[in-house]
Amino acid sequence: MPVLGVDVGGTATKAVLVDDAGAVLDVRSRPTPRRGPSVVPEVLDLVAELAWELPAERIGVAVPGIVDERRGVGVFSENLGWHDVPFKDLLADRLGRTVAFTHDVRAGALAENRIGGGRGAHTMLFLPLGTGIAAALVTGGRVHDGDGYAGELGHVDVGHGEPCLCGGTGCLEAIASASAIARRYTALTGREVCGAVDVARRVEAGEPEAAAVWDDAVEALVTALAWTASVLAPEVVVVGGGLSGANGLLLDPLAKGLSARLTFQREPRLVPAALGGLAGCHGAALAAIADHRGEPCR
Amino acid sequence: MPVLGVDVGGTATKAVLVDDAGAVLDVRSRPTPRRGPSVVPEVLDLVAELAWELPAERIGVAVPGIVDERRGVGVFSENLGWHDVPFKDLLADRLGRTVAFTHDVRAGALAENRIGGGRGAHTMLFLPLGTGIAAALVTGGRVHDGDGYAGELGHVDVGHGEPCLCGGTGCLEAIASASAIARRYTALTGREVCGAVDVARRVEAGEPEAAAVWDDAVEALVTALAWTASVLAPEVVVVGGGLSGANGLLLDPLAKGLSARLTFQREPRLVPAALGGLAGCHGAALAAIADHRGEPCR
């Protein structure tokens, strides 16, 4: 029984076809339609096209932003510019069958918890560091949704005092996201870089300005993780995004900083995400399987 | 079928006898044995005495500190000075029957969520402001335990820079607990007070020093609640402790501060705890009922 998982990302829409056992049968990637008045019908067309190319018994679809899974509604997406779109119903109409509808980061957390870096953890934080920072929590083996509002670790005040696009001040995202690292490096040095990976290379090459920007990001992430350890006590934190493989540069300093900051709290294991950019579509497929079984596992 | 719930507090041990419908049949309060080499057998004796006085079909017992409910172990209590005490087994031996064993604040959260101020909330934070500050989370209608380590909102760094007894810096508890409010007022003015309630009275009387100490506490609580709203998105925050009834002085400024701080996040309703100092024993009784039914509801 093949299952299709589709992850509508800010830039690319990815799809994975898996078998019963979760083995990958096929993968696709397409540009996501641009924001604008026709973005919703174009997204529906794209999902229909992928469903036609990769025939499956069940389909799960994940979208970004604020997502109310219980009502099946995409409440808000800054990047794609939609408000209150009843995706679950629209997808069912367009595809002629029931579709599992979920949130991209929570889908990623589900996948990392079931088949990825946090396999088997009862309590887990999934922290993908990308253009923005959104996180997702697993508590009691289930992904916590807070009616669609949970997981906004990117918009907690870590005390750096700089403004954030959200209107807040001191947000984690404004200092520690991949795009913030690149932007702050350019602001400091006047030198353009190809993203945070480029800044990471300069840190490894021993460039002090790059190291300063990097250390700010690590320090802010330590603050956010120390809070999370105190309040949620995850066994494991699964760090995702393009930088998560850089153990020596990211996970090691994070673990060291966290260990120095915590007193009696439980220190989580920090591990890199195992599913990379496919976590969201794997999670959408898992959501489709869970929906089919009537499980409340999300 | 009467059920007995016992809450072993730092100072007083309280017991409530309830019927099937949760109606209170009787209440007791005793001094908790002091910390020392015999504290554990003395606590066991006290519970046995209460169980003899208030005969019940089922018994639940809650204790403070770090509690591992799954293993039935009191891992650590600063106040009562114990480490790794297998309370569930010891209580079963002492009482000759199975006892539900739980954590005082998580028991309080369970009670406030089922029969108190946060009745029916799917996602809830219970925040009792006492000598210390510990919190408990309800996610997906269940109390989150993090293997006993979750809920330490009192020991997150809210940025005030003062040291905390835990060894950390900037902890919420060191500025916003009832005892911190009293201590900081005395440090500022040299005047002794009878706890935070006394400081609250002075705020109402228009005393500037009292207002300054109070505002610091409110500001720190707003920071902690803003984090919680971003990451956990509770529908409701149930504020407990002796000050929680002071709407105009506590809940109103908290709600106003939180509203000013949050941007796109969901604002939780702030409500006072309904069960007062009996939340813990009500929760212990509910845990006993849930254990009996084989529910995983904690």
Side-chain angles (χ1 to χ4, degrees):
Chain A
M1 185 190 91
V3 178
L4 177 66
V6 179
D7 176 10
V8 180
T11 317
T13 292
K14 293 170 194 163
V16 65
L17 190 72
V18 296
D19 70 12
D20 266 355
V24 175
L25 304 173
D26 210 335
V27 175
R28 293 280 191 288
S29 181
R30 297 270 190 287
T32 297
R34 296 287 186 87
R35 62 178 293 156
S38 64
V39 65
V40 172
E42 285 176 31
V43 164
L44 297 174
D45 285 349
L46 176 55
V47 174
E49 189 186 314
L50 289 162
W52 186 83
E53 280 181 35
L54 302 170
E57 199 94 357
R58 311 271 155 213
I59 303 181
V61 176
V63 305
I66 306 278
V67 172
D68 186 334
E69 279 136 331
R70 244 169 295 181
R71 294 192 300 129
V73 172
V75 177
F76 172 62
S77 166
E78 172 76 40
N79 284 331
L80 295 173
W82 64 54
H83 280 90
D84 291 318
V85 180
F87 270 110
K88 195 175 167 78
D89 289 347
L90 291 173
L91 285 163
D93 280 355
R94 186 72 178 75
L95 301 177
R97 54 171 148 169
T98 305
V99 168
F101 177 68
T102 180
H103 176 252
D104 57 354
V105 181
R106 287 196 289 279
L110 179 66
E112 289 289 348
N113 189 244
R114 298 296 149 86
I115 58 173
R119 202 161 43 241
H122 205 66
T123 306
M124 186 192 104
L125 180 78
F126 176 50
L127 180 61
L129 306 173
T131 311
I133 296 181
L137 315 165
V138 173
T139 60
R142 297 191 298 183
V143 181
H144 172 57
D145 68 1
D147 300 318
Y149 288 90
E152 297 289 351
L153 195 67
H155 298 281
V156 296
D157 184 355
V158 292
H160 58 71
E162 293 180 25
C164 176
L165 288 175
C166 82
T169 304
C171 292
L172 177 66
E173 182 170 299
I175 195 163
S177 67
S179 54
I181 290 172
R183 180 177 44 71
R184 294 184 82 242
Y185 176 82
T186 299
L188 184 67
T189 62
R191 292 194 283 275
E192 291 294 329
V193 279
C194 295
V197 172
D198 197 355
V199 180
R201 268 191 224 107
R202 288 160 195 253
V203 175
E204 287 179 314
E207 195 184 303
E209 294 96 332
V213 167
W214 194 264
D215 289 349
D216 285 350
V218 167
E219 188 63 17
L221 286 166
V222 166
T223 298
L225 289 178
W227 272 71
T228 307
S230 297
V231 180
L232 291 161
E235 299 157 57
V236 57
V237 175
V238 177
V239 182
L243 303 168
S244 64
N247 261 353
L249 220 49
L250 187 63
L251 293 196
D252 292 351
L254 280 181
K256 209 173 145 191
L258 195 54
S259 190
R261 192 79 71 86
L262 298 177
T263 53
F264 63 94
Q265 300 94 333
R266 172 162 76 169
E267 281 182 45
R269 279 188 301 124
L270 302 186
V271 302
L275 302 169
L278 293 181
C281 31
H282 272 290
L286 288 168
I289 295 168
D291 264 18
H292 172 55
R293 291 188 188 147
E295 289 169 5
C297 87
R298 285 180 291 153
Chain B
M1 187 191 90
V3 179
L4 177 65
V6 180
D7 176 10
V8 180
T11 317
T13 292
K14 294 171 193 162
V16 65
L17 190 72
V18 296
D19 69 11
D20 266 356
V24 175
L25 304 173
D26 211 335
V27 175
R28 292 283 190 285
S29 181
R30 296 271 188 287
T32 298
R34 296 287 185 89
R35 62 177 294 157
S38 64
V39 65
V40 171
E42 286 177 31
V43 164
L44 297 174
D45 286 349
L46 177 55
V47 174
E49 189 186 314
L50 289 163
W52 186 83
E53 282 182 34
L54 302 170
E57 199 93 0
R58 311 273 157 209
I59 303 181
V61 176
V63 305
I66 306 278
V67 173
D68 185 334
E69 280 136 329
R70 246 169 295 181
R71 292 192 300 129
V73 172
V75 177
F76 172 62
S77 166
E78 171 75 38
N79 284 332
L80 296 173
W82 63 57
H83 280 89
D84 291 317
V85 180
F87 270 110
K88 194 176 169 77
D89 289 346
L90 292 173
L91 285 162
D93 280 355
R94 186 72 178 78
L95 301 177
R97 54 171 148 170
T98 305
V99 169
F101 178 68
T102 181
H103 177 252
D104 57 352
V105 181
R106 288 195 288 280
L110 178 66
E112 289 289 347
N113 188 245
R114 298 296 149 85
I115 59 173
R119 203 162 42 242
H122 203 67
T123 307
M124 186 191 103
L125 180 78
F126 176 50
L127 181 62
L129 306 173
T131 309
I133 296 180
L137 316 165
V138 173
T139 60
R142 297 192 298 184
V143 181
H144 172 57
D145 68 2
D147 299 319
Y149 288 90
E152 297 288 352
L153 195 66
H155 298 282
V156 296
D157 183 355
V158 292
H160 58 72
E162 294 181 23
C164 177
L165 288 176
C166 81
T169 303
C171 291
L172 177 66
E173 183 169 298
I175 196 165
S177 66
S179 54
I181 290 172
R183 181 178 43 72
R184 294 183 83 243
Y185 176 83
T186 299
L188 183 68
T189 62
R191 292 194 283 275
E192 291 294 328
V193 279
C194 295
V197 172
D198 198 355
V199 180
R201 269 190 225 110
R202 288 159 195 254
V203 176
E204 287 178 315
E207 195 184 301
E209 294 95 334
V213 167
W214 194 265
D215 290 350
D216 285 351
V218 167
E219 188 63 18
L221 287 166
V222 166
T223 298
L225 289 178
W227 269 74
T228 307
S230 297
V231 179
L232 290 162
E235 298 156 59
V236 57
V237 174
V238 178
V239 182
L243 304 168
S244 63
N247 262 352
L249 221 50
L250 188 64
L251 294 196
D252 293 350
L254 280 181
K256 209 174 145 191
L258 195 54
S259 190
R261 193 79 71 85
L262 297 178
T263 55
F264 63 94
Q265 299 94 331
R266 173 161 76 168
E267 279 182 45
R269 279 186 301 123
L270 301 187
V271 302
L275 302 169
L278 294 180
C281 31
H282 273 289
L286 287 168
I289 295 168
D291 263 18
H292 173 57
R293 290 188 186 146
E295 288 170 4
C297 89
R298 285 178 293 155

